[in-house]
Amino acid sequence: MIMYTTMPHELIFQENLDSYSKQSIINVNGLSLVVEPLSNEECRVVQVLSTNPYDFLNKAYSPGSIIMLKPQF
């Protein structure tokens, strides 16, 4: 079967629910990010949640980037 679509691969062939249960939304410098934890101090960016196109040009928060988390008191 051939599927002609402009939809992203992730929407058509979704992963199991367990992979999404690890993800969370955090706020870093006023920018909302979907991340998955790697350790207590690090997390990997999965998706940028923004309506500002310039936020997607910031390489520090691009998907796959590693972010160091600050301890919250």
Side-chain angles (χ1 to χ4, degrees):
M1 179 170 103
I2 298 174
M3 196 176 313
Y4 297 99
T5 181
T6 58
M7 293 178 64
H9 182 266
E10 295 84 20
L11 290 178
I12 298 169
F13 304 105
Q14 294 183 0
E15 296 182 29
N16 58 11
L17 220 45
D18 295 333
S19 63
Y20 294 110
S21 64
K22 296 183 283 186
Q23 297 177 356
S24 60
I25 298 174
I26 63 169
N27 191 349
V28 179
N29 297 330
L31 182 62
S32 295
L33 303 170
V34 177
V35 296
E36 60 182 17
L38 299 175
S39 67
N40 287 339
E41 299 92 20
E42 295 181 328
C43 61
R44 177 180 293 124
V45 177
V46 176
Q47 182 180 6
V48 178
L49 300 176
S50 177
T51 56
N52 185 352
Y54 291 108
D55 290 337
F56 293 90
L57 298 175
N58 190 344
K59 291 185 185 256
Y61 304 123
S62 64
S65 299
I66 307 296
I67 295 179
M68 299 295 290
L69 298 176
K70 296 177 185 174
Q72 297 179 359
F73 299 101

